[in-house]
Amino acid sequence: MDDRLEKLSEKAKTLPKAPGVYLMKDAKGLVIYVGKSASLRDRVGSYFQASTKLEHKKIGLLDHVVDFEVIQTDSEVEALLAENRLIKDIQPKYNARLLDDKTFPYLMITLDEDYPGVFVTRQPRQKGVKLYGPFTSVYSLKEAVTLLQKAFKFRTCYLDIREDDDKRRFFRPCLLYPIKQCTAPCAAKVDKERYREDIKRLIAFLDGNKKSVLSQMEREMIEASKDLNFEKAARLRDEIKALTALGQRGAKGEQEFWQPEAFIVNPKEGLAALGQMLGLAEPPRIVEGIDIAHLQGDEMVGSKVCFIDGMPFKDGYRRYKIRHGQGNNDYLSIQEVVDRRYREAGSNNELFPDVILIDGGLGQLHAALDVFKSMDVKPPMVISLAKKEELVYVQDKSEPLKLPRNHLGLKLLQYVRDEAHRFAQHYHHILRRKSQLEEDVKKGRRPPAARKKKSPQEKKAEYEASLPKAADDDLLLKAPGPESPHSTHISLPILGSGELPDAAEPEELLDAEGAE
């Protein structure tokens, strides 16, 4: 193992045994791989062991990694959601999945139908339905739906089933009915009231009132075990386990434009907790976050993200190319971004946001406050959030706030901080790629030309050119034309005969078969 990997291995040993996301970087500071883990120390450290064998898609990764960065989260669910967002934005070289716009799956119940259906979908409707999600695994969700059907016997088909349709009684239900996983409303095997009672029980279970449902299943499991019906007891045990796992999901707020891929806390609850934590008279509505990104002082950029009512307002995002030219100076960079962003607000030409969040510790907060002191109008609240310890530094307070990891206000601040970090990193990578391209052009290098897509005529010409020459024409069929159908066989033997005639043509063989 070379010195580079040994240093990375030692750095990995300092990481916490906590869930999070890790970003592998090359010598140019570009992120080339993003991954998640339930234990950052164990997962990141495993990359730099001599016995490590990477999967095919990651071959060559360790040859280019010179550094890594981690973002710690509170749960594996949050780590997966953060990984999804980062991969979509950065598009690292060695990530082979999540590069498209695929979103997480939801569980959708169509309440506006006479007999509501239960569906797994990635494009949920907004009206007339009840949504649950997002879930972290579509496979686990579908498996859980199958088990839920055994308990609540709902339909998952897309049939248009109406109570006033008398022809339903002639309809033949699918196999889910005889195996007792559906009450077959399609065939009028259950009335509307009874079916909707099952749906109400399902919703009660998914809404969190699952203790009564689970306790009933547990009683049935114990009774089955006492009756020596171990197969039924084992089945109930597996169902209880799967149903319990459904709790590991993001709780969706009521807002229409809520973004599940990044935020798994109800925004209203997060804002209320944030306002209480900061001692505000009412929950804040507008929160802005500021972050700085660079690589050893090169391509230094700043970002400003805006959240309204706890959700990202993308039209309010801004990015700044740092101009001070004094290298790696985080404090000066923050002051420049703060001055450029809030110059008009400080002159009373626009309103300040309710809360301004600076990514960093006490030093970064003081750097921002120094700029605000020179303004005629002061912002209502400026705070900073330090990584690792996740301490919240508040203006005019000497001691930071140390909040529990599950505090909703802290989780909202983490969301804003991470989004500002992601947006800054995205701009930084754009400038790095542009700078690298300019260096390559100066050195006379050119990017590889895109391969021209061949036309059907060119493909046909290449194919004909690859055919054997005229010397072997007696062994081949003629090229397909209007006079004969195309065939991939040179000739077919006639049943009951020996060898084919030496000079037999396909047309002659067909004529001979027709004559018989």
Side-chain angles (χ1 to χ4, degrees):
M1 184 183 295
D2 57 27
D3 294 339
R4 174 176 58 88
L5 295 181
E6 286 184 1
K7 290 180 180 178
L8 292 174
S9 178
E10 290 300 319
K11 181 179 178 180
K13 292 178 181 178
T14 64
L15 297 178
K17 285 193 172 184
V21 178
Y22 55 92
L23 299 86
M24 300 291 189
K25 297 184 177 182
D26 62 9
K28 301 172 185 176
L30 298 179
V31 175
I32 57 177
Y33 183 74
V34 175
K36 69 178 186 308
S37 176
S39 173
L40 288 171
R41 182 190 301 178
D42 296 339
R43 183 70 183 111
V44 177
S46 68
Y47 280 92
F48 311 116
Q49 296 178 1
S51 59
T52 298
K53 291 184 179 180
L54 299 178
E55 57 184 286
H56 175 71
K57 296 176 182 178
K58 299 180 187 176
I59 292 177
L61 172 63
L62 293 183
D63 296 335
H64 299 91
V65 175
V66 299
D67 195 12
F68 62 81
E69 181 181 347
V70 300
I71 300 175
Q72 187 176 335
T73 61
D74 289 339
S75 66
E76 296 178 56
V77 175
E78 293 180 54
L80 185 141
L81 300 176
E83 178 199 37
N84 180 77
R85 286 295 301 278
L86 288 169
I87 291 176
K88 285 181 180 179
D89 267 338
I90 300 176
Q91 298 189 1
K93 177 180 178 181
Y94 289 96
N95 283 101
R97 60 185 179 85
L98 293 180
L99 294 179
D100 56 8
D101 289 330
K102 180 182 288 186
T103 56
F104 290 106
Y106 289 84
L107 189 65
M108 181 175 71
I109 304 176
T110 55
L111 297 178
D112 57 350
E113 298 179 349
D114 290 344
Y115 297 89
V118 180
F119 308 101
V120 175
T121 178
R122 295 184 187 273
Q123 296 178 336
R125 288 159 44 188
Q126 296 294 331
K127 296 181 180 179
V129 299
K130 189 166 182 64
L131 292 177
Y132 295 92
F135 293 86
T136 57
S137 168
V138 67
Y139 173 79
S140 300
L141 178 56
K142 289 180 177 179
E143 184 183 42
V145 167
T146 301
L147 295 174
L148 280 170
Q149 272 191 297
K150 296 178 181 179
F152 303 108
K153 299 178 176 58
F154 49 80
R155 71 181 183 95
T156 55
C157 63
Y158 288 89
L159 297 175
D160 183 12
I161 304 175
R162 301 177 184 176
E163 185 182 18
D164 57 359
D165 185 3
D166 295 332
K167 296 180 181 180
R168 287 190 297 132
R169 55 195 178 95
F170 301 109
F171 190 80
R172 184 177 180 180
C174 68
L175 288 176
L176 290 178
Y177 175 66
I179 63 175
K180 299 182 179 180
Q181 291 192 22
C182 180
T183 50
C186 58
K189 300 294 184 181
V190 60
D191 57 53
K192 180 179 177 180
E193 289 72 19
R194 179 185 164 192
Y195 182 86
R196 282 189 165 268
E197 282 299 322
D198 289 336
I199 294 297
K200 288 180 181 178
R201 289 176 55 232
L202 171 66
I203 292 175
F205 176 86
L206 294 175
D207 282 344
N209 301 326
K210 55 186 179 181
K211 288 186 178 180
S212 59
V213 179
L214 287 174
S215 61
Q216 181 180 354
M217 296 178 68
E218 289 172 355
R219 286 195 298 269
E220 293 179 5
M221 180 182 66
I222 295 173
E223 290 175 2
S225 179
K226 290 180 179 179
D227 295 338
L228 302 183
N229 190 348
F230 299 116
E231 182 178 353
K232 180 180 179 181
R235 176 175 56 80
L236 288 169
R237 177 201 62 200
D238 295 339
E239 291 177 13
I240 292 171
K241 184 178 180 181
L243 295 179
T244 303
L246 277 176
Q248 297 177 351
R249 59 176 175 86
K252 186 182 186 306
E254 297 177 354
Q255 290 79 358
E256 181 179 359
F257 300 104
W258 179 78
Q259 293 193 341
E261 295 158 357
F263 194 41
I264 60 170
V265 172
N266 186 310
K268 288 185 178 179
E269 296 177 357
L271 289 169
L274 178 61
Q276 184 178 7
M277 173 186 74
L278 298 177
L280 302 178
E282 57 184 17
R285 287 204 63 197
I286 302 176
V287 180
E288 292 187 354
I290 291 177
D291 188 29
I292 305 295
H294 62 90
L295 177 65
Q296 297 177 351
D298 294 333
E299 309 299 345
M300 184 170 284
V301 299
S303 70
K304 188 271 293 185
V305 297
C306 178
F307 281 60
I308 298 179
D309 292 334
M311 293 175 291
F313 179 63
K314 297 299 180 72
D315 291 345
Y317 283 27
R318 295 292 183 271
R319 57 191 190 187
Y320 305 88
K321 191 172 182 179
I322 303 301
R323 303 169 181 167
H324 60 63
Q326 297 190 23
N328 184 7
N329 190 327
D330 260 10
Y331 298 155
L332 193 59
S333 301
I334 287 174
Q335 289 179 332
E336 179 179 329
V337 172
V338 168
D339 179 66
R340 289 166 64 181
R341 163 61 188 97
Y342 300 110
R343 188 181 305 145
E344 292 298 317
S347 301
N348 204 22
N349 293 325
E350 67 173 273
L351 295 177
F352 277 109
D354 298 318
V355 176
I356 298 174
L357 173 66
I358 308 296
D359 182 18
L362 188 59
Q364 283 80 2
L365 176 62
H366 284 166
L369 291 175
D370 287 343
V371 177
F372 289 125
K373 288 178 183 178
S374 62
M375 297 181 178
D376 297 333
V377 182
K378 307 297 187 292
M381 179 59 66
V382 184
I383 62 175
S384 68
L385 179 61
K387 293 181 180 178
K388 294 184 179 180
E389 295 291 332
E390 301 291 9
L391 299 176
V392 180
Y393 291 91
V394 184
Q395 62 183 36
D396 300 330
K397 289 189 178 181
S398 57
E399 296 295 327
L401 302 177
K402 189 169 185 179
L403 305 170
R405 290 282 181 166
N406 61 351
H407 190 281
L408 297 183
L410 175 62
K411 293 173 78 67
L412 176 58
L413 293 179
Q414 289 172 332
Y415 178 25
V416 177
R417 187 266 313 276
D418 293 343
E419 181 70 355
H421 180 75
R422 177 197 66 79
F423 193 55
Q425 286 288 335
H426 184 219
Y427 186 38
H428 172 71
H429 279 79
I430 291 175
L431 296 183
R432 289 291 300 172
R433 292 191 187 101
K434 182 180 178 181
S435 176
Q436 183 62 40
L437 180 61
E438 291 174 351
E439 291 178 10
D440 291 343
V441 171
K442 288 180 181 178
K443 294 179 181 179
R445 300 173 187 167
R446 291 292 186 275
R451 294 183 61 181
K452 183 181 178 182
K453 188 175 182 180
K454 297 179 181 177
S455 65
Q457 292 77 10
E458 291 174 329
K459 292 181 180 179
K460 181 180 179 181
E462 284 188 5
Y463 170 74
E464 292 175 349
S466 66
L467 293 175
K469 301 303 180 182
D472 298 328
D473 279 351
D474 56 339
L475 299 178
L476 296 170
L477 276 176
K478 298 177 182 178
E483 71 281 355
S484 63
H486 175 75
S487 174
T488 56
H489 299 279
I490 296 179
S491 61
L492 296 173
I494 301 175
L495 295 177
S497 65
E499 297 181 355
L500 293 172
D502 293 338
E505 292 289 342
E507 294 82 353
E508 296 176 4
L509 293 176
L510 292 172
D511 292 342
E513 286 184 325
E516 293 178 359

